Every structure is written in structure tokens, then in C-alpha cells.
Amino acid sequence: MSTITEVIVCTTCRPANVPRDQPAPGAALYEAVQAAAWDIQDADPAQLAQVRIRGVECMTGCNRACTVTFQAAGKYLYYFGDLAPDAETAAHILACAQLHAQTPDGTLLRNDRPARLRNGILGRIPPLQAG
């Protein structure tokens, strides 16, 4: 059974070489993920039925910007960094979110993940245990 996987994108991520007076690449990644989701919804609305996208300010991955997290109730949380803020990465993020939603415990094996999410893993956190 699949559950809702939340894709959380840091909107304030910026690599060290990006000046503060320029738009944050994290915001560009968030926009790219939203645009990719709209494209998928237009083609096959059911494909993203178990995926929700949310932007947040600062996930403290500053040294590894841009960052994204996959989380769902009862599943492993995955945290990735060093992502490019572009359309290809956005498509890979959504494909990985679908995989996370479809796996029973959220496990994302390296070779099963889309290419741009095979590296850059910052953490794999076990699900909360009930009471």
C-alpha cells in the first residue's frame, strides 16, 4: 500500500559561489519541481496521486545546496543535497518521490533511484516508532 510522500524543497538554498543579491537556486529548484509536477498532472493525473510538494525556508544543508527531502508516515526519510536547480533534476526528484510512495517502508536503493539522486545523500532517517 502506498502513502503520501511529501517532497520538501529548500527554497533558500544557495551554493557558496552564488551572491546574496541573486535569486536563490533553491527557489529555482522548487519552481522546477512544481512545473514538472504540472506537466505530469497534464499527462497522467493519477501518476502523482501519492506525492505532495512543499517548499520550506532552510533545511540547514547550506554546504550541500540545493537540498530536498522525501518523507512519509511510517517510512524512512531521505535527505539529498548537491542538486542542480533544473528541469532534469526536477523530473528525477518526482520519479524518486513516486518510488518512495510505492515502497512499503520508503527504502530507496541506490540503483533504483533516478541518476541525479544516486549521489548526494545527506541522510536516511528511520521512521518514528509508535508510542
Side-chain angles (χ1 to χ4, degrees):
M1 178 178 153
S2 59
T3 60
I4 299 292
T5 287
E6 190 171 44
V7 178
I8 303 172
V9 181
C10 179
T11 60
T12 56
C13 270
R14 86 178 52 247
N17 63 341
V18 176
R20 292 260 172 221
D21 62 345
Q22 293 183 9
L29 180 59
Y30 177 61
E31 290 171 10
V33 170
Q34 288 182 309
W38 278 108
D39 290 344
I40 290 171
Q41 291 287 4
D42 287 344
D44 181 5
Q47 199 172 0
L48 288 181
Q50 273 74 41
V51 175
R52 182 179 310 128
I53 302 161
R54 178 167 57 119
V56 299
E57 290 186 10
C58 195
M59 292 197 305
T60 65
C62 303
N63 291 333
R64 303 285 301 272
C66 295
T67 61
V68 65
T69 298
F70 302 99
Q71 69 178 9
K75 296 187 177 192
Y76 282 94
L77 178 149
Y78 281 82
Y79 184 36
F80 292 91
D82 300 322
L83 299 173
D86 60 25
E88 184 175 352
T89 299
H92 287 211
I93 287 169
L94 292 174
C96 197
Q98 290 170 316
L99 180 63
H100 187 268
Q102 294 165 0
T103 61
D105 67 355
T107 296
L108 298 172
L109 299 176
R110 185 179 191 280
N111 289 334
D112 292 342
R113 297 190 308 254
R116 293 209 175 170
L117 292 160
R118 289 192 182 145
N119 296 310
I121 193 163
L122 303 178
R124 176 180 181 255
I125 300 167
L128 288 173
Q129 292 186 337

